């Protein structure tokens, strides 16, 4: 299971839509490592002068890796994080999460990062089974 959803929120979801703030709070508490990585790259993007900010550090263990993979693989979770931080996320391998400004989507740097060439160039034997 990806998220630990409080019973009250689950009841609200069964009755209708849930707002992003409640959903993002569930993500934050359920996937703390993923939250830390995304919030860090979002903060680095906001405070830096680079075109994007990315995480190059592998997760400390399989639990953390699983959290990051669940967050990036779920359209709902990833989308909620993107809306919360007002960024576009990109993901390579098992841990390379990058934050881009929304205005970069479709641009050269973003397109290169998400392209097949970049994916191929970022392969490493130690990531084979991640």
């Amino acid at each position: 299971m990806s998220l630990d959803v409080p019973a009250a929120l689950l009841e609200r979801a069964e009755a209708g839509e849930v707002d992003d703030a409640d959903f993002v709070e569930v993500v934050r508490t359920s996937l703390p490592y993923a939250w830390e990585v995304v919030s860090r790259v979002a903060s680095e993007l906001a405070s830096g002068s680079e075109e994007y900010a990315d995480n190059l550090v592998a997760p400390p263990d399989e639990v953390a890796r699983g959290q990051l993979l669940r967050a990036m693989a779920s359209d709902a979770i990833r989308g909620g994080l993107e809306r919360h931080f007002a960024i576009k996320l990109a993901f390579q391998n098992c841990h390379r999460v990058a934050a881009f400004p929304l205005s970069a989507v479709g641009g050269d740097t973003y397109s290169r990062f998400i392209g097949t060439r970049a994916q191929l160039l970022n392969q490493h034997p130690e990531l084979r089974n991640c």
Side-chain angles (χ1 to χ4, degrees):
M1 182 163 53
S2 293
L3 302 174
D4 298 319
V5 183
L9 184 59
L10 186 56
E11 287 174 14
R12 287 196 348 241
E14 289 170 348
E17 289 297 316
V18 181
D19 68 26
D20 262 357
D22 290 334
F23 179 69
V24 169
E25 179 60 17
V26 168
V27 171
R28 184 187 69 75
T29 58
S30 298
L31 306 172
Y33 178 78
W35 178 268
E36 186 277 322
V37 170
V38 172
S39 60
R40 180 171 38 81
V41 295
S43 177
E44 289 172 4
L45 177 66
S47 65
S49 59
E50 299 297 320
E51 292 182 80
Y52 66 94
D54 64 336
N55 176 62
L56 297 172
V57 179
D61 55 39
E62 290 306 307
V63 171
R65 184 182 315 281
Q67 287 184 22
L68 195 57
L69 290 172
R70 286 194 303 278
M72 294 299 104
S74 166
D75 290 338
I77 295 172
R78 190 173 178 165
L81 291 168
E82 289 174 334
R83 289 187 301 278
H84 177 78
F85 291 106
I87 57 173
K88 179 63 176 168
L89 293 170
F91 186 59
Q92 290 181 0
N93 294 338
C94 301
H95 62 272
R96 191 166 183 203
V97 176
F100 287 85
L102 295 173
S103 61
V105 175
D108 290 342
T109 302
Y110 176 77
S111 295
R112 273 192 307 275
F113 189 94
I114 66 166
T116 54
R117 181 174 184 265
Q119 183 66 48
L120 292 171
L121 293 173
N122 280 292
Q123 297 305 298
H124 303 283
E126 67 272 13
L127 300 176
R128 175 78 55 185
N129 294 317
C130 66

